[in-house]
Amino acid sequence: MSSSRTCSNCDKSSFVRDDVSGELFCSTCGAIQQFDQFEAQIGGINGPQGTFIHIGTAGSGSVYTYEQRKLFSAQNSIDELTSRLGLASKSVDIRNMISSLTEGEFGQGEWFHVLIGACSYVVMRKDDRPLPMAEIASAVGCDVYELGRMILRVVDFLGLKRPDFPEFDIVHSLERTLKNSPCFAAVERSMVETMRKQGIFLIQCAVKWFLSTGRRPIPLVVAVLVFVAELNQVEVRMDDLAKEVHAMVSTCRTRYKELLETLVKVAQVLPWGKDITTKNIVYNAPFVIQYMEKKSMSKPTEKRGNVDLPVVDLADVVAECLRRDDEYEYGNDGVSSRNDSRYFSFESNADRPGVKDVDRLQISHECLSMLYEKFLNENRRAKSSRRSGNAQKRKRLVLDLQDCMEWWNGKSELSKKLLLKHLLEKDVGMDTMPPSFVAGQLKCKMRREKIDAAKVRIQKIMHPLDADLGDTANPGLSDGTHPGRRKKKRRGMVVDDIDWEDLIIETLILHQVKEQEIEKGHYNTLLDLHVFKSGIV
């Protein structure tokens, strides 16, 4: 079979058609000829038509509706956000919650992404494995406050209350941060486990000390992890760890400072507690934590127990004193001590360099009684003044603590997650008030002093003849002894530096505002109520 066409391979014009496949191939080289059965689709108006694909269709005869496309887009958004947060296993629960909230309508737009983030937070909170709001807000791309408002709306709509909606689990946040943070990726697993127990212990102590009351919990988690890392000689930067958990670095530094200050207060019970400050608390933290651990393990009915003062046994004291060859020796006049001879006053005719066996030494009951009485007197003086009169005893105590390399036991219940009710019953060596409450009380006290000083100034202006009486009636106010108040010299006179707060307080007093309301410090509200809206300025 021949044709006018030539072969695309050898330029020959001899072709043969295969009976089975129907393809045309060259009889000379055997190459199959392409486009042999091509027919151009040109037929004008009456010719064959093709298939046109439009948006929202899957070919001829299958068109998606707006609701179907909305549901498809919503499901994609849910899957994408849950995958970004690592919650792929909770995708179905989040979808069901959104379906119940929107009555199966779902939605589109930025508000729907915020709703997905809020439902993710609620689902994990119900599962007692909460996620930080800052982390969800960063994944959604919205503000934390906007996410918080949406969470409140979801909680109110579902009517969630305890125990369906438990409190934020700060212990889980610490464990999750320690497990997922790249800062601890290179640390050995055994060290990470030790740091986890120490972190749980310290963060539960911080909760008992009200360091987390009314605050965001994540900065406290960062502060505890940085302290534990520094305690175990693991290099971790607070800036890096704070950025990973989407926390403010300045807030983390404030919580870290509060944690150090509280540990310093706990350390005051130690014999060298007066020398411990925030600069060296890390070096003394093993002793402080060991003390706190023993206190938490003691029973509530125990009085001090074996934590603060050791139990003194007469037999052990005498045996220890008589076996110390390097400190005590015998002479012709009797037993004498190289370091301290106040414990011994009996005589012996034996001339021996040392005593190897206590049973061979003949000591009368009177001598033992005198020995024990002097020892109790020394111990009493050490207890009353918190300073040991026996330097050798204090030295041996320090050496014993330094020889204890494994200071962390992890046997306390505080090393495990406890309920808040059981946590508050534990004794960790000190009970404190919330820092915000203490700061508020100090501010109220300062405002009280400012109010008294303002009343004295008003009295001087309104009744100049009673100025001297006012000075004697309020000592410490007219002479400028108020904390933080500065003095200025004007033409040979020393006057108090009055700031804007003093002027506002004077104005409120002149408008007969109650002093109890002024102490609260809501100056703008009081000015709006009693000054600007009263018609008298």
Side-chain angles (χ1 to χ4, degrees), residues 101-113:
L101 291 172
T102 59
E103 298 180 354
E105 295 294 334
F106 292 88
Q108 291 180 339
E110 296 296 333
W111 71 270
F112 185 71
H113 292 84

Side-chain angles (χ1 to χ4, degrees), residues 39 47 99 125 135 153 181 197 199 259 360 389 429 526 537:
E39 295 181 2
S99 178
R125 184 81 171 264
E135 182 177 349
R153 294 177 62 183
S181 175
K197 293 183 178 180
L259 179 63
R360 297 179 183 178
L526 294 176
V537 181

Side-chain angles (χ1 to χ4, degrees), residues 225-240:
L225 287 178
V226 171
F227 181 81
V228 171
E230 190 174 2
L231 188 62
N232 292 275
Q233 298 180 356
V234 177
E235 186 176 357
V236 175
R237 294 187 58 187
M238 183 177 296
D239 299 354
D240 299 338

Side-chain angles (χ1 to χ4, degrees), residues 55 152 229 236 300 304 392 438 521:
I55 297 177
L152 290 178
V236 175
R304 299 178 70 87
Q392 185 66 24
V438 176

Side-chain angles (χ1 to χ4, degrees), residues 12 17-18 48 69 75 90 95 97 104 117 134 167 213 221 250 255 292 314-315 327 392 411 440 455 466 481 489:
K12 301 294 183 179
R17 188 174 297 277
D18 189 5
R69 287 189 280 112
Q75 183 61 45
K90 299 292 182 180
R95 187 180 187 278
M97 181 176 291
E167 296 290 340
T213 303
V221 171
S250 58
R255 299 295 171 267
M292 293 163 53
L314 174 61
E327 297 181 7
Q392 185 66 24
K411 298 180 180 179
K455 291 169 64 178
D466 299 335
T481 57
K489 292 184 179 181

Side-chain angles (χ1 to χ4, degrees), residues 23 27 77 91 145 177 196-197 217 249 258 313 428 438 532:
E23 295 179 347
S27 60
S77 300
S91 177
Y145 302 99
T177 304
R196 185 185 69 85
K197 293 183 178 180
V249 180
E258 292 176 352
D313 190 359
V428 292
V438 176
F532 299 113

